[in-house]
């Protein structure tokens, strides 16, 4: 019996220690989520969870499928990241515990998603089958299936964004339509379909205030702009023929419209097939300036205060970043972070910018005032960088 | 040996279960901080920690001194709230663990504070002794003491805000000056002093992009505006004489300039001593419209998308909220939440607004689309409501 007692005593000690291990770290474990983010590792189908205060990666989460064109949104509590894969995978990651909370294959081929303003719904834009599917953000159970039916069958959908009032907006590549889907009355949405938006909408954005939805057109010069504050909502053409009469350069990469920058009283946008940034007045939507840049711009991203716009470029000039002053539209700084600069993300108050340098397998951190590099974080072929501050933003 | 084996097996099972119990609560404890906030309970010197998803209070933290004019900023990780009391108290609260992390009495009488863009410095604006003190955000140790010296001694300081580039800006009530304090080169700041700003600056704000610093003047009509993107920075007078030639009403309460709303292409601001909201163009800084309202407005707060502006009022008309449409400048809705509506805070994407109704001892939550009341949370004489999303915003 003493041997039993001794053994039991040992057991109790082990359990007691285990018990200690429960509570004490529990408070230590309680960390905030305002300074977290995820980095897409496109080649390996994984994401890194990063801490922007310590400037290091905390963990890697694997098994997310094809992340060659991935995007991420966050739950309002900033505990969960929803990762939209190219292959139709939708993965809900618990970023505090670095685990996959839920994962579904929701379609065959998809191109981005959005979260409703109240955080309750996740929408995914699909090429195959063409349409949008909407899921419960808690369980990833299907709430609504919205096939993008038109006379030609099912259209690929693009440019999916959230809008105030529990709405999603997206456009139909094949049909040239824009649909506004309103979930404010429950799980069966009210759908407004706007036809004749233009040929081949290829991407769209919503301005940070949720007021304007802008559709890029691959099939014609110009874009279509919707002022969502007007009733009824009607599109109008802007920037018509901005490249007319000049020789176009080959398009190496489609500029992302979400890469439009709102900077001061102007938008800065990458011109398709040109080595230029166009500056567009935020009221008139007319071009007011152009900046010649190093290559075909991919993303133009404004520092959160709008004073500078940072631009990266398409292959083969994708080793460079240029920084443009908003007031003068002149380049004020150039960086050579390394081969394959794919993405830029600013800290929410703009004091640092984080860059993914794919072919160097690093994420680099720069001070935006001095332009000094202040950290490097190893990552496998990093592409998109997404910080939890996006949880608070309309359209991101 | 079989008995041993059996016992060991049981032990292992217990340890295994204990092991499960270890990780499970620790992981459960790990909650996000994006949906947290604090409510000031002014009469009791306490704050409530609130969860905006569950719409309930999680805990109360006591012992914060005089909170009759309190404000709050958040650390970038959104784990800590810094509470600035009227009595010079500065308290760092761990909002995840509902504890006081640090507390100091840093002056005799103070009027608000700010956190630097990188989250490393906390600045407090003091009446007594007149000046600004700057503390390390981690330890609350003094980093810099900046007495507001002028020919008349030490001036009270007001309108303290953070600005991009690790700067703080504030104004001197007695001296009519504005000081820009730049910590980007280290703990000994570079200070730029601008004289002749106007008589009796009583409050100031910085626009959400950190570009314009606007100073309200108690001693004269009009305000002074600084465009921080220009070099050198110089003030210019705006809204000069907006009340000239008309009988002024008594000022029951000084309108808070941080209550200015940026809504679409306009600012909405409470007119001092008038039952009006003024609409000011964000480019020309000229008045473009007025809205007659229910009483002397205190705060005009824009829904984050800018479509609506919500206004509360001074005693004795402080039981009412009016909602104004930005496009038409017309009142579209009126609410009577109860006596003593002191503050409004929107969820970051604007789908809900949280109101403190002091004399009913509740915080009320409204859906901003339907205007329906969706929750009530008991609180003791609640005043300011501050959500962690402020951590990501310039000037908040």
């Amino acid at each position: 019996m003493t041997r039993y007692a001794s053994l039991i005593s040992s057991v109790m000690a082990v359990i007691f220690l285990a018990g200690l291990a429960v509570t004490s770290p529990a408070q230590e474990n309680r960390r905030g989520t305002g300074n977290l983010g995820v980095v897409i590792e496109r080649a390996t189908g994984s994401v890194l969870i990063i801490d922007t205060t310590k400037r290091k990666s905390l963990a890697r989460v694997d098994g997310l499928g094809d992340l060659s064109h991935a995007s991420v949104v966050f739950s309002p509590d900033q505990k969960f990241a929803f990762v939209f894969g190219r292959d139709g995978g939708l993965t809900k990651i618990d970023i505090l515990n670095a685990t996959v909370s839920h994962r579904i294959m929701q379609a065959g081929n998809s191109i981005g998603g959005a979260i409703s303003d109240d955080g309750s719904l996740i929408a995914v834009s699909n090429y195959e089958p063409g349409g949008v599917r909407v899921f419960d953000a808690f369980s990833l159970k299907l709430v609504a299936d919205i096939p993008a039916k038109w006379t030609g069958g099912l259209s690929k959908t693009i440019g999916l964004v959230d809008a105030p009032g529990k709405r999603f907006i997206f456009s139909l590549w094949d049909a040239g339509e824009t649909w506004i889907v309103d979930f404010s009355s429950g799980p069966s949405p009210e759908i407004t379909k706007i036809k004749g938006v233009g040929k081949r909408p290829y991407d769209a954005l919503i301005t940070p205030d949720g007021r304007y939805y802008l559709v890029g057109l691959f099939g014609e010069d110009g874009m279509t702009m919707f002022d969502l504050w007007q009733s009824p909502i009607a599109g109008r053409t802007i920037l018509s023929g901005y490249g007319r009469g000049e020789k176009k350069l080959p398009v190496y990469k489609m500029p992302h419209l979400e890469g439009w920058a709102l900077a001061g009283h102007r938008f800065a946008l990458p011109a398709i097939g040109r080595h230029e940034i166009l500056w567009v007045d935020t009221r008139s939507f007319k071009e007011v300036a152009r900046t010649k840049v190093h290559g075909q711009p991919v993303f133009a991203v404004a520092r959160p205060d709008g004073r500078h716009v940072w631009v990266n470029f398409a292959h083969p000039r994708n080793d460079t970043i240029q920084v443009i002053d908003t007031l003068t539209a002149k380049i004020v700084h150039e960086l050579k972070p390394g081969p394959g600069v794919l993405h830029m993300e600013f800290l929410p108050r703009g004091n640092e910018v984080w860059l993914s340098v794919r072919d160097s397998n690093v994420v680099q951190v720069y001070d935006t005032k001095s332009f000094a590099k202040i950290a490097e974080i190893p990552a496998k072929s990093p592409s998109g960088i997404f910080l939890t501050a996006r949880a608070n933003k309309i359209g991101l």
Side-chain angles (χ1 to χ4, degrees), chain A residues 44-381:
Chain A
T44 47
S46 53
V47 303
L48 279 186
I49 295 166
I50 51 173
D51 177 324
T52 60
T53 305
K54 294 183 175 159
R55 299 188 193 109
K56 65 176 195 180
S57 64
L58 302 177
R60 172 172 284 123
V61 180
D62 292 296
L64 307 188
D66 179 359
L67 299 185
S68 62
H69 191 289
S71 62
V72 179
V73 300
F74 293 94
S75 62
D77 65 357
Q78 302 178 334
K79 186 181 180 187
F80 297 101
F82 299 87
V83 182
F84 306 99
R86 192 75 183 82
D87 55 2
L90 168 58
T91 312
K92 180 179 179 179
I93 294 175
D94 178 334
I95 53 175
L96 271 177
N97 293 311
T99 54
V100 171
S101 166
H102 295 74
R103 176 168 163 80
I104 58 173
M105 294 303 292
Q106 60 81 38
N109 190 315
S110 67
I111 191 74
I115 185 165
S116 60
D117 59 1
D118 67 347
S120 70
L121 298 173
I122 302 293
V124 195
S125 184
N126 292 321
Y127 281 2
E128 185 51 49
V132 166
R133 285 185 172 143
V134 180
F135 300 90
D136 180 277
F138 183 74
S139 64
L140 295 194
K141 286 188 178 145
L142 187 70
V143 171
D145 187 16
I146 306 167
K149 280 188 198 141
W150 72 299
T151 51
L154 289 184
S155 174
K156 289 179 183 172
T157 58
I158 57 90
L160 171 65
V161 298
D162 63 275
K166 211 169 176 177
R167 291 179 297 173
F168 294 110
I169 308 180
F170 57 91
S171 296
L172 281 61
W173 161 265
D174 303 289
E177 298 181 8
T178 292
W179 291 14
I180 301 169
V181 179
D182 183 336
F183 281 93
S184 63
S185 302
S188 297
E190 183 186 310
I191 303 179
T192 305
K193 300 177 184 179
I194 301 164
K195 295 177 195 288
V197 166
K199 285 183 196 146
R200 300 292 186 213
Y202 77 91
D203 197 4
L205 68 84
I206 192 163
T207 51
D209 61 1
R211 176 168 180 178
Y212 299 104
Y213 182 73
L214 297 146
V215 185
L217 300 171
F218 197 67
E220 52 190 287
D221 261 359
M223 306 180 68
T224 301
M225 184 273 276
F226 296 93
D227 180 350
L228 304 173
W229 287 12
Q230 303 298 337
S231 181
I233 296 167
R236 78 176 167 93
T237 301
I238 60 168
L239 302 176
S240 185
Y242 68 80
R244 200 165 289 160
E246 298 181 45
K247 184 170 167 286
K248 289 196 181 183
L249 300 170
V251 178
Y252 288 102
K253 187 160 171 48
M254 202 83 95
H256 287 261
L257 281 194
E258 70 263 36
W260 272 44
L262 172 60
H265 304 313
R266 298 169 166 186
F267 296 110
L269 66 144
I272 295 184
R274 307 184 66 82
H275 292 188
E276 288 176 347
I277 295 291
L278 304 187
W279 298 84
V280 176
D281 185 275
T282 55
R283 293 192 189 177
S284 69
F285 285 94
K286 287 188 170 24
E287 184 186 328
V288 290
R290 289 191 189 199
T291 304
K292 296 268 180 204
V293 290
H294 173 75
Q296 165 67 54
V298 177
F299 285 108
V301 185
R303 204 172 69 182
D305 67 344
R307 180 62 197 272
H308 286 162
V309 171
W310 290 52
V311 183
N312 72 341
F313 302 97
H315 179 81
R317 300 194 168 187
N318 62 2
D319 64 343
T320 301
I321 291 274
Q322 287 182 319
V323 182
I324 310 177
D325 183 274
T326 300
L327 282 183
T328 62
K330 289 193 191 323
I331 293 164
V332 292
H333 196 74
E334 184 174 298
L335 299 161
K336 296 276 183 189
V341 180
L342 295 194
H343 201 229
M344 301 165 277
E345 177 96 334
F346 287 87
L347 295 196
R349 299 212 288 167
N351 52 309
E352 293 177 11
V353 64
W354 289 51
L355 311 179
S356 52
V357 190
R358 183 192 55 199
D359 302 336
S360 300
N361 293 300
V362 290
V363 169
Q364 297 180 358
V365 182
Y366 290 84
D367 180 298
T368 58
K369 185 165 185 175
S370 67
F371 301 111
K373 184 163 70 178
I374 48 183
E376 280 205 357
I377 299 159
K380 298 176 187 169
S381 298

